Amino acid sequence: MRFRHGSGEDVHLGYCTNVHPAEDLAGILDQLDTYAVSVREQLAVDRLGVGLWLAQPVAAALAGDPGATLRLRTELGLRGLEVVTLNGFPYQGFHQPVVKHAVYRPDWSSRLRLEYTVDLARVLALLLPDDVTTGSISTLPFGWRADWTADRHVRSLRHLEELGRGLKDIRHGSGRTIRVALEPEPGCVVETTGEAADHLSHLDPDHFGICLDVCHLAVAFEDPHEALRKLDRAGVSIVKAQLSCALHAERPADLDVLQALAAFTEPRFLHQTRRAGAPPTGVDDLSQALAGPLAMNRDAPWRSHFHVPLHADPEPPLTSTRPVLRQALAALLAADRPGTTHLDVETYTWSVLPTPPRTARELAAGIAAELDWTRRELLTLGLTEQAPPSAVKRSS
């Protein structure tokens, strides 16, 4: 879906396909048929944006075969789908029984991360719609903080510099600009927007910026308006925003709250948990937070990095950080600043909710409800929904 910002720019809204487990091209097309087409039909729109997650093997195969990438673009168009952004954070195996810290490997100190991201950029340059000249790729913020060394940081910076040269080559060869967005996340080398302003201000702003994941912002108890002011002062742009809500527990000392939180502990994903404070403190995973008061103090609200649906709160006594998401959207799309043009709904945790969807139809309905909630928020903020342009054939 596309919306027009007051600045005259198009704002692209879609959902991230890392909620689906396929890691080969046939599986990706099958899941687009099963879920994305159903989401589009339930929203009654002619065109739906999808933020594709391409695992490393399929990204490498497509990058090595431009004809296959153009065929994928055609298949997307036939389904009423378009791609302006890719999720390049998980490398592969994102739906293995246990992921946890593995999602941060390989990190930016490894050439594998560089090669994967270059492959994604080459693919995205061919997937972009004819009337779109800029695409975005979100990626991890250097790596996980534990055991990070000065040497690994230097190697990471060298790899990002090399990536920048590759992105310039892609722009010169294709006429399309691909921007890479490092995504601050609790527990990583770059955890907050303040750290992003410190670490990323030296990168080429034409090709680098941040991906603002609103769940991560909320878990860090950051104020969205102040976060954007920090980034603006540092000259770090928000290339892409992942629209997401965290799990919020106002009174974690209460037994019923602890019991409700326990229902969200699960073995696949990492759920970094923070206690409100100056600064917030916490642990790597929700199960650790629940281990006892010595693990994490219960005298102030907790937030956990568990992406919960945008449109519906979890069962009481828990809530979500939807108010933070509303504030973030208002800040991102304020009339007096250029809008962030790539918005991706990213609730990848549907399958590990305490009560997950039972059928493909239920999952598609849930994703559609999230997008419909977001659409109504954008309209409230003064954006206008745009009809799809006439299809124009791109010469290959």
Side-chain angles (χ1 to χ4, degrees):
M1 293 186 285
R2 296 192 198 182
F3 298 79
R4 183 62 53 83
H5 185 262
S7 65
E9 292 182 298
D10 277 353
V11 174
H12 298 262
L13 172 64
Y15 87 93
C16 184
T17 65
N18 64 352
V19 65
H20 309 312
E23 298 199 16
D24 60 69
L25 189 55
I28 290 168
L29 290 172
D30 181 63
Q31 291 188 340
L32 292 175
D33 285 333
T34 302
Y35 299 104
V37 172
S38 177
V39 170
R40 181 181 61 75
E41 291 171 346
Q42 291 181 57
L43 290 167
V45 294
D46 293 327
R47 172 186 53 202
L48 177 68
V50 287
L52 280 183
W53 172 57
L54 303 174
Q56 185 276 329
V58 70
L62 288 171
D65 186 352
T69 304
L70 291 172
R71 288 192 293 274
L72 172 59
R73 184 177 181 272
T74 298
E75 293 293 334
L76 289 162
L78 292 172
R79 292 162 172 80
L81 307 173
E82 68 177 13
V83 174
V84 300
T85 188
L86 300 178
N87 188 324
F89 199 124
Y91 188 76
Q92 63 185 65
F94 192 53
H95 287 266
Q96 292 295 313
V98 178
V99 179
K100 299 292 184 181
H101 293 86
V103 75
Y104 307 106
R105 298 191 294 268
D107 60 41
W108 271 103
S109 67
S110 168
R111 284 200 65 83
L112 294 175
R113 176 63 61 175
L114 168 64
E115 292 163 359
Y116 172 50
T117 309
V118 170
D119 284 345
L120 290 176
R122 289 172 176 158
V123 170
L124 183 56
L126 291 175
L127 290 181
L128 288 176
D130 286 316
D131 62 333
V132 175
T133 59
T134 301
S136 62
I137 300 169
S138 49
T139 187
L140 71 164
F142 293 104
W144 188 249
R145 188 185 298 274
D147 301 322
W148 194 254
T149 64
D151 178 66
R152 290 172 68 185
H153 200 76
V154 168
R155 277 186 281 134
S156 296
L157 292 175
R158 288 174 180 163
H159 290 153
L160 288 169
E161 289 172 2
E162 187 173 342
L163 173 63
R165 293 192 291 272
L167 296 175
K168 288 179 182 178
D169 290 342
I170 290 171
R171 184 183 64 191
H172 293 151
S174 69
R176 284 166 166 76
T177 298
I178 307 301
R179 303 184 73 198
V180 170
L182 283 76
E183 181 182 329
E185 178 166 327
C188 289
V189 175
V190 176
E191 182 164 345
T192 65
T193 54
E195 291 176 354
D198 292 339
H199 281 79
L200 307 180
S201 59
H202 67 284
L203 295 177
D204 174 9
D206 290 337
H207 292 103
F208 293 97
I210 77 160
C211 171
L212 186 72
D213 187 302
V214 184
C215 172
H216 303 171
L217 183 87
V219 170
F221 288 90
E222 292 193 78
D223 174 80
H225 292 276
E226 178 56 29
L228 266 63
R229 283 192 288 269
K230 289 178 186 175
L231 293 168
D232 287 344
R233 287 194 296 267
V236 177
S237 62
I238 299 173
V239 171
K240 168 182 178 177
Q242 287 179 170
L243 309 184
S244 51
C245 290
L247 193 63
H248 181 90
E250 185 66 23
R251 299 183 310 278
D254 293 358
L255 181 59
D256 60 337
V257 174
L258 293 173
Q259 290 173 338
L261 285 169
F264 284 85
T265 60
E266 55 84 24
R268 179 173 297 157
F269 300 119
L270 198 64
H271 302 295
Q272 303 94 309
T273 302
R274 299 290 184 264
R275 167 189 169 274
T281 56
V283 292
D284 284 358
D285 210 351
L286 179 58
S287 59
Q288 294 173 269
L290 294 172
L294 293 179
M296 191 160 156
N297 202 310
R298 296 173 181 169
D299 63 353
W302 288 4
R303 288 177 179 171
S304 187
H305 175 216
F306 195 120
H307 289 215
V308 294
L310 307 190
H311 64 291
D313 274 341
E315 290 293 321
L318 302 178
T319 59
S320 83
T321 57
R322 191 183 309 113
V324 179
L325 177 56
R326 281 200 166 103
Q327 294 167 24
L329 283 170
L332 286 164
L333 300 168
D336 62 348
R337 71 186 299 274
T340 297
T341 58
H342 294 175
L343 306 178
D344 223 16
V345 169
E346 201 223 9
T347 306
Y348 59 84
T349 45
W350 281 95
S351 64
V352 295
L353 288 169
T355 306
R358 294 169 296 178
T359 65
R361 181 71 179 177
E362 283 188 5
L363 175 54
I367 295 169
E370 292 188 290
L371 285 163
D372 186 56
W373 179 89
T374 308
R375 171 167 60 183
R376 288 183 279 111
E377 289 294 312
L378 298 185
L379 295 175
T380 299
L381 291 169
L383 280 71
T384 54
E385 195 164 358
Q386 302 296 298
S390 300
V392 179
K393 182 178 177 62
R394 178 191 289 181
S395 59
S396 56

